[in-house]
Amino acid sequence: MSQKQEKIVKNQAMNQSTRAEIPIFLSARVPRSPTSKPMLARVAESMYWMSRYMERAEHVARITQVNFNMLMDLGEIAHSMQEKQWQAVLHILRLDQSPEAQALFASPDRNLGQHLTEFKTLNLLNKNSLLNCLTKARENARSIRESISAEMWETLNTLYWSLLSDDAKQRLEESPQQIFQSVIMGSMLFQGVSDQTLPHGQGWQFIQLAKYLERVDMTCRVIDTLFDVLRSNEATMEGPLKNIQWMAVLRCCSSIEAFRRRHVGDLDPQRLAAFLILDKESPRSIRYCIRAAQKAVAGIATAVHPQEIDPAERILGRLNSQLEYAETREFTGVGLKYVLKQILDNTAESASAIQRSYFLH
Amino acid sequence: MFKDYAVNGVFDEMFQESGQTRPHYDPVFRQLSNLDQAAFQRRRRMADLAFRNQGITFTVYNDNSGVERIFPFDLVPRIVPAAEWQTIEKGLEQRILALNLFCKDVYHNQHILREKIIPPEMIYSAKMFRREMIHVSVPNDIYIHVCGSDLIRDRDGNYLVLEDNGRTPSGVSYVLENRSVMKRVLPSLFESYSVRAVEDYPFNLLQILKELARHPVDDPNIVVLTPGIYNSAYYEHSFLARQMGVELVEGKDLIVDNNHVYMRTTAGLRRVDVIYRRIDDDFLDPLCFRPDSILGVPGLMNAYRCGNIALANAVGTGVADDKALYPFVPAMIKFYLQQDPILNNVPTYVCADDKERKYVLEHLEELVVKSTNESGGYGMLMGHQSSAAERAEFALKIEKDPRNFIAQPIVELSQHPSLVDDHFEGRRVDLRPYILFGKKVIITPGGLTRVALKEGSLVVNSSQGGGSKDTWVLEEQR
């Protein structure tokens, strides 16, 4: 074969191969879109749970810390209230049915507070203990390390190891406050680091969504449970004691300073509930969180299917409108309970809608 | 801290037999001698903390609590002068070219068997030989894209190849992390040297993976396939994905449809072009290999044979790093490249050969016997450290299944000063350089120096209590 002939044959071969490959290349079933890079469903799910568990850990730490402090303030009288108060805390954290927790109540030990603190912090039997929440947050983070920033991982991992260190148990006995505080600050640091190091794309939106849904859930349960306890104590309690307890409710939601500035020195329960549920500006209020969660879902949905309204977005949007037009007069007694139940049901529903739309492909 | 340091009559990386330091170690020796013990301990703790907080760990199997362990890091760097490195580089390049040609040959025309260089029964009895790959073409005829060959030094300081890892060699993440921790903890040591950088490994790996894509015009979708977070090298899988900026996927994230591979995303399915897989052949595709594997992707092999997905490394490369075929590598180099090997093998007896088996059985006490299908320091007999009962047991095993065993004389690995409690002692080391094979061969300057931290031990595997060192390849003097 001459050189020229050879060249022609080669060219033909090349043409053929490109022609044959084009249809595969432009696979009709899955178009490529260079603008938005979809993420793995598994990664999205892990982002979501990492953030939820981190937020949960923060609430567990704060609620336990506040309660611990309040019982110290109440002094003598506290003795009679101790059990009731800790039962309430367990109820908020969905632990009241746990056999291990009930065993602690049954024991005649006077140091109930301390045992429960340990139970809530380091006990691995307890599914919502700080250590368990952080372990789960970290496990999720570990499986998506390539998708989160190195700083986020290091923040979370450092916090995790600080609770696992050899002296953690001793530190918990000496100064439980410090451990709780380190978890609260660690969670906030983690969210701050996420905001500043992770691109605000889909992954970040899932983190936001999870954080706010978890916060709504916890806040609802705090209000619901503690209002019940306080109402049952009403007859027996005097003014200052009552105030201490109402303040504790605000502290559990990390809203005391914001509330004081809004309603100077007035601890009226109805106002308190209205603030925690409806305040437009406080990032700890339920309505703020619902709006933020809605925005996050909308952000995720536009990248995935811009034409449709996402089912979760619809649920959260409706809930948001409902809260926008709510009357504070409803926020007493049965009315309050009803509102809270509605919020809880709706957020749970939106969470499962997200699961269906994004995690189960 | 060097006060009672003993050279022990083996090759020492830092000291000559006279007790003098080798010239390229002078500055390190001087600085370390000036450092007092407390200062050194402080740095060691700093390094440990850095590893822990960044989660640079490996997973130990069969351990209930604390499944993640830090790979012990020894702060004294191992230094390889430029000239030595040049030899290593040339030798490894030659070796990977030959091994790769061997893979291609074995799965196509089998010239090497026809010419009777290697007995066919050695190939067909290899567990890692994949019939499914016969006459399957792979992109650019490259099978072993990533290779890690273990080098040791004998008593005279000659580099020898102990084994090749042509399947899914791990450890490269520690090379990079060791360097970054070293820079953080002992920056002053770098001042007297110009050390060649290792940081571009992930970049080079990515380029090689890109070359494999069938349609290079488009931005190919490359993923790293991991068995999951419980795998011992999970950290590395995630590290490489992060450094390359590609998705890390598990088997369940992938799906094969109409012989194309897709990944499941929040927006539905998305095509995948290249998979850097860190799963063994056996687990890759339950329809083709082990049916009980839940780590793999059903249908992947069909997509691979259609050429719709590229895998690195190719399926079936295990035949090239089978320990019973290792003694034939010098012959492969001669056969395919018409060259003499630059790096020598450790002398090896193949138990499948009647004469050699006889010798092995008579000299068990002086030999190391290795199972051809195991790695990580499992399934080994160290002749001189074994009891008569252990030797008898191994002799039985060998006679029962000779193909499964090889034996080598005990090679005294070189030693290197390592921190033991509060002073330095000599500990045995090896070196695993990482070779990338694409349009050209790129060998990362350095590699993983593994060190047997137990006194007198010759086994450096991390699963057997080994640690690692930063390895410095020096820039050529100008």
Side-chain angles (χ1 to χ4, degrees):
Chain A
M1 214 187 317
S2 75
Q3 248 187 346
K4 203 176 167 189
Q5 271 176 322
E6 207 175 52
K7 209 171 177 188
I8 291 170
V9 171
K10 251 191 200 159
N11 274 349
Q12 276 176 345
M14 261 178 73
N15 283 346
Q16 266 175 2
S17 71
T18 35
R19 225 179 298 142
E21 282 168 20
I22 281 171
I24 306 165
F25 178 30
L26 299 172
S27 168
R29 179 156 178 198
V30 184
R32 276 164 191 278
S33 56
T35 42
S36 83
K37 203 175 162 193
M39 59 195 305
L40 283 178
R42 175 180 56 83
V43 172
E45 190 169 6
S46 287
M47 287 266 183
Y48 178 88
W49 286 108
M50 168 186 75
S51 171
R52 254 201 111 134
Y53 277 116
M54 196 68 200
E55 181 76 14
R56 190 170 298 172
E58 180 186 327
H59 285 280
V60 173
R62 185 179 294 110
I63 292 166
T64 316
Q65 182 189 34
V66 168
N67 214 52
F68 201 85
N69 267 347
M70 187 191 67
L71 287 175
M72 272 159 60
D73 275 343
L74 292 178
E76 265 310 289
I77 201 165
H79 242 42
S80 54
M81 287 176 48
Q82 254 205 19
E83 188 171 331
K84 205 165 170 187
Q85 200 66 29
W86 282 120
Q87 285 280 20
V89 170
L90 288 177
H91 180 71
I92 295 173
L93 303 179
R94 293 198 168 90
L95 290 174
D96 41 349
Q97 302 304 324
S98 138
E100 290 86 14
Q102 292 313 322
L104 287 176
F105 280 107
S107 73
D109 202 321
R110 284 172 59 89
N111 253 336
L112 189 60
Q114 198 172 39
H115 287 309
L116 277 169
T117 307
E118 196 193 314
F119 176 69
K120 279 199 294 282
T121 313
L122 297 177
N123 197 327
L124 282 169
L125 289 176
N126 165 3
K127 71 176 176 3
N128 279 341
S129 74
L130 281 184
L131 193 54
N132 246 354
C133 289
L134 284 176
T135 307
K136 281 183 190 144
R138 179 174 176 273
E139 283 286 271
N140 278 295
R142 202 159 91 85
S143 69
I144 51 170
R145 272 189 69 176
E146 70 295 336
S147 307
I148 59 176
S149 69
E151 291 88 346
M152 287 165 74
W153 166 252
E154 206 168 331
T155 312
L156 179 45
N157 197 37
T158 311
L159 180 63
Y160 169 79
W161 282 111
S162 76
L163 275 198
L164 270 196
S165 64
D166 301 333
D167 60 340
K169 206 164 175 178
Q170 197 192 347
R171 278 190 295 145
L172 186 67
E173 266 168 37
E174 276 172 22
S175 166
Q177 304 283 352
Q178 219 165 10
I179 288 206
F180 297 138
Q181 198 60 26
S182 76
V183 173
I184 294 169
M185 293 317 284
S187 154
M188 300 212 165
L189 180 63
F190 177 73
Q191 290 295 351
V193 165
S194 306
D195 285 353
Q196 298 305 312
T197 56
L198 193 68
H200 289 199
Q202 255 195 74
W204 181 80
Q205 305 277 24
F206 274 109
I207 292 180
Q208 304 309 307
L209 174 65
K211 170 173 78 179
Y212 288 118
L213 285 185
E214 179 67 25
R215 196 176 295 166
V216 169
D217 186 69
M218 275 293 186
T219 310
C220 281
R221 296 183 67 85
V222 167
I223 301 173
D224 192 23
T225 314
L226 293 186
F227 269 58
D228 273 356
V229 174
L230 274 161
R231 222 173 289 119
S232 68
N233 284 348
E234 204 139 4
T236 57
M237 287 233 276
E238 296 158 32
L241 283 180
K242 235 192 309 193
N243 284 350
I244 285 177
Q245 296 214 13
W246 285 118
M247 275 154 72
V249 177
L250 285 166
R251 283 208 169 94
C252 279
C253 303
S254 118
S255 292
I256 187 145
E257 291 175 342
F259 182 83
R260 272 195 198 127
R261 250 175 271 129
R262 182 64 48 86
H263 305 284
V264 184
D266 188 355
L267 284 171
D268 170 50
Q270 200 177 325
R271 277 193 171 167
L272 215 137
F275 180 85
L276 289 177
I277 297 174
L278 294 183
D279 192 76
K280 255 192 195 154
E281 291 158 357
S282 162
R284 318 301 303 193
S285 86
I286 289 174
R287 186 175 148 208
Y288 183 100
C289 296
I290 297 279
R291 265 190 74 97
Q294 186 199 344
K295 253 174 41 196
V297 180
I300 295 162
T302 44
V304 176
H305 39 75
Q307 264 79 43
E308 304 159 39
I309 289 186
D310 186 87
E313 189 186 350
R314 181 177 292 122
I315 298 168
L316 291 173
R318 277 188 191 159
L319 182 58
N320 182 41
S321 311
Q322 233 172 10
L323 291 178
E324 206 155 322
Y325 295 103
E327 281 216 63
T328 43
R329 261 190 305 158
E330 294 165 6
F331 289 178
T332 50
V334 190
L336 179 64
K337 264 195 139 23
Y338 177 72
V339 171
L340 291 172
K341 184 165 182 317
Q342 236 182 354
I343 298 173
L344 275 175
D345 289 351
N346 277 308
T347 44
E349 224 171 281
S350 67
S352 43
I354 286 154
Q355 172 117 358
R356 277 194 303 275
S357 320
Y358 300 106
F359 302 157
L360 299 173
H361 269 297
Chain B
M1 290 165 73
F2 278 108
K3 220 171 61 197
D4 296 320
Y5 190 83
V7 176
N8 301 333
V10 297
F11 187 87
D12 192 286
E13 299 282 340
M14 191 186 273
F15 298 99
Q16 299 170 5
E17 263 168 70
S18 58
Q20 284 272 311
T21 50
R22 295 176 196 279
H24 57 276
Y25 271 102
D26 266 342
V28 159
F29 174 72
R30 244 178 295 126
Q31 285 209 31
L32 289 181
S33 311
N34 288 340
L35 219 56
D36 70 70
Q37 199 204 317
F40 198 82
Q41 293 291 355
R42 209 164 47 238
R43 298 197 182 186
R44 194 185 54 81
R45 275 197 301 275
M46 253 162 84
D48 283 354
L49 203 66
F51 277 109
R52 203 199 64 191
N53 286 348
Q54 289 177 43
I56 306 169
T57 53
F58 70 99
T59 313
V60 184
Y61 298 113
N62 308 328
D63 196 341
N64 284 334
S65 63
V67 275
E68 290 164 59
R69 293 256 183 84
I70 298 174
F71 192 18
F73 176 60
D74 188 75
L75 282 174
V76 192
R78 191 241 186 104
I79 304 177
V80 182
E84 269 175 32
W85 182 250
Q86 260 173 11
T87 318
I88 295 178
E89 219 169 15
K90 278 197 206 116
L92 291 174
E93 181 166 350
Q94 182 191 48
R95 209 171 162 97
I96 191 154
L97 289 177
L99 286 174
N100 196 68
L101 284 169
F102 169 70
C103 285
K104 190 189 165 197
D105 192 20
V106 156
Y107 291 120
H108 289 85
N109 296 323
Q110 306 194 323
H111 292 301
I112 201 162
L113 306 187
R114 286 168 213 270
E115 303 280 331
K116 305 211 161 44
I117 311 280
I118 298 176
E121 61 269 24
M122 293 302 286
I123 303 285
Y124 291 117
S125 60
K127 281 214 176 104
M128 299 295 166
F129 175 75
R130 299 289 174 210
R131 247 161 256 278
E132 295 82 354
M133 286 298 290
I134 296 270
H135 293 306
V136 175
S137 301
V138 299
N140 311 330
D141 281 338
I142 299 177
Y143 285 80
I144 309 176
H145 308 88
V146 186
C147 183
S149 291
D150 290 346
L151 304 179
I152 57 175
R153 299 183 87 173
D154 63 14
R155 212 178 274 266
D156 305 315
N158 298 314
Y159 286 95
L160 303 173
V161 181
L162 185 64
E163 63 179 55
D164 305 286
N165 295 284
R167 280 172 282 165
T168 52
S170 59
V172 73
S173 56
Y174 298 107
V175 175
L176 274 71
E177 293 290 8
N178 284 357
R179 178 64 54 83
S180 93
V181 168
M182 198 69 185
K183 280 184 187 161
R184 206 195 287 193
V185 181
L186 279 166
S188 60
L189 280 188
F190 287 84
E191 280 165 13
S192 330
Y193 292 96
S194 51
V195 180
R196 290 180 62 185
V198 293
E199 267 91 25
D200 54 355
Y201 178 86
F203 175 81
N204 292 332
L205 177 58
L206 187 59
Q207 300 313 312
I208 279 176
L209 296 175
K210 270 188 178 168
E211 284 167 15
L212 296 181
R214 193 171 181 182
H215 310 288
V217 274
D218 195 53
D219 209 9
N221 187 12
I222 298 168
V223 300
V224 177
L225 176 61
T226 172
I229 63 168
Y230 298 109
N231 184 267
S232 68
Y234 177 75
Y235 168 74
E236 176 157 309
H237 308 159
S238 131
F239 174 87
L240 288 173
R242 193 154 33 98
Q243 295 286 322
M244 294 194 285
V246 305
E247 222 52 79
L248 177 68
V249 302
E250 294 175 18
K252 60 183 183 220
D253 295 326
L254 298 180
I255 187 170
V256 177
D257 183 47
N258 200 12
N259 289 332
H260 283 81
V261 181
Y262 299 95
M263 61 185 198
R264 302 166 205 259
T265 74
T266 49
L269 301 181
R270 191 170 169 236
R271 261 271 301 278
V272 178
D273 302 300
V274 181
I275 300 178
Y276 177 42
R277 47 98 171 209
R278 296 296 297 260
I279 293 183
D280 278 338
D281 290 354
D282 270 334
F283 298 93
L284 211 48
D285 180 351
L287 297 182
C288 195
F289 303 119
R290 273 177 66 161
D292 60 339
S293 165
I294 50 164
L295 303 172
V297 188
L300 183 62
M301 266 309 275
N302 270 349
Y304 183 53
R305 290 156 64 118
C306 291
N308 291 334
I309 186 85
L311 296 179
N313 292 352
V315 174
T317 56
V319 73
D321 68 11
D322 188 295
K323 286 198 176 78
L325 289 169
Y326 156 89
F328 296 97
V329 175
M332 290 177 201
I333 295 173
K334 284 207 186 89
F335 182 72
Y336 294 117
L337 306 173
Q338 287 83 47
Q339 293 171 359
D340 286 325
I342 299 169
L343 292 174
N344 284 319
N345 267 9
V346 175
T348 304
Y349 304 97
V350 183
C351 296
D353 183 293
D354 292 338
K355 257 196 344 228
E356 296 189 4
R357 181 171 64 247
K358 190 158 173 272
Y359 177 87
V360 170
L361 291 173
E362 281 164 10
H363 297 83
L364 271 183
E365 205 165 339
E366 305 147 29
L367 298 170
V368 183
V369 183
K370 292 178 185 172
S371 159
T372 54
N373 287 308
E374 292 198 59
S375 56
Y378 295 103
M380 267 171 74
L381 175 83
M382 303 288 282
H384 65 303
Q385 288 169 351
S386 61
S387 65
E390 279 170 333
R391 283 199 295 277
E393 187 194 342
F394 250 79
L396 266 179
K397 276 196 210 166
I398 293 172
E399 298 212 39
K400 210 167 154 200
D401 184 8
R403 169 62 176 84
N404 198 22
F405 293 94
I406 55 157
Q408 294 168 337
I410 293 157
V411 180
E412 291 288 343
L413 276 58
S414 59
Q415 71 166 14
H416 193 291
S418 306
L419 184 74
V420 176
D421 302 329
D422 57 351
H423 60 283
F424 294 118
E425 273 180 35
R427 288 289 184 269
R428 309 307 177 88
V429 293
D430 78 344
L431 174 62
R432 178 182 283 184
Y434 292 88
I435 308 145
L436 293 173
F437 187 15
K439 284 196 175 121
K440 53 181 192 222
V441 175
I442 305 168
I443 302 175
T444 308
L448 188 66
T449 292
R450 294 183 297 176
V451 40
L453 290 172
K454 274 184 227 152
E455 189 171 4
S457 169
L458 292 169
V459 188
V460 293
N461 299 80
S462 56
S463 46
Q464 314 286 324
S468 77
K469 282 173 172 298
D470 191 12
T471 309
W472 295 1
V473 170
L474 300 182
E475 210 79 67
E476 220 166 324
Q477 298 285 327
R478 254 165 276 178

